[in-house]
Amino acid sequence: MRLFEELFENADDGVYGVKCVWKLGGEGYFEGVKGLTEFSPAEIRIHTRLGEVQVLGKGLSVKKYADGDLYVGGRIYTLTLATPSEGKC
């Protein structure tokens, strides 16, 4: 995602160590994902190097997940940041 890199080259680590972009219609792209700790059509929990990000929505699906990149289909309504646990991330 060269455009993403150009737009956010001077940004910090994004949301809890993961960068994210929402597409029109509610889908989202996340970069820097270490793993998924929970998955359902209503909730996805994303493990990052700094903690966990909770994605809530409707009809959520994993369209792509490889090499730290996660593309979530469906409609994302909210992101919630969990409190980081020292030594776990």
Side-chain angles (χ1 to χ4, degrees):
M1 291 193 68
R2 193 175 70 196
L3 177 59
F4 187 88
E5 291 170 6
E6 289 176 18
L7 290 173
F8 296 102
E9 67 183 338
N10 295 321
D12 59 9
D13 284 332
V15 179
Y16 255 33
V18 67
K19 295 178 184 174
C20 59
V21 173
W22 274 292
K23 291 177 64 179
L24 209 53
E27 295 184 335
Y29 176 82
F30 299 83
E31 185 179 273
V33 174
K34 298 291 182 187
L36 300 179
T37 57
E38 189 168 327
F39 171 76
S40 76
E43 176 184 18
I44 297 176
R45 289 184 180 260
I46 301 170
H47 177 72
T48 76
R49 67 181 181 82
L50 297 177
E52 191 173 80
V53 177
Q54 178 188 43
V55 179
L56 297 176
K58 183 177 179 181
L60 300 178
S61 65
V62 174
K63 289 190 161 188
K64 174 190 172 190
Y65 178 47
D67 301 323
D69 293 341
L70 173 65
Y71 182 25
V72 175
R75 287 192 168 259
I76 297 172
Y77 295 138
T78 62
L79 287 180
T80 304
L81 308 177
T83 303
S85 300
E86 239 177 271
K88 289 190 176 182
C89 298

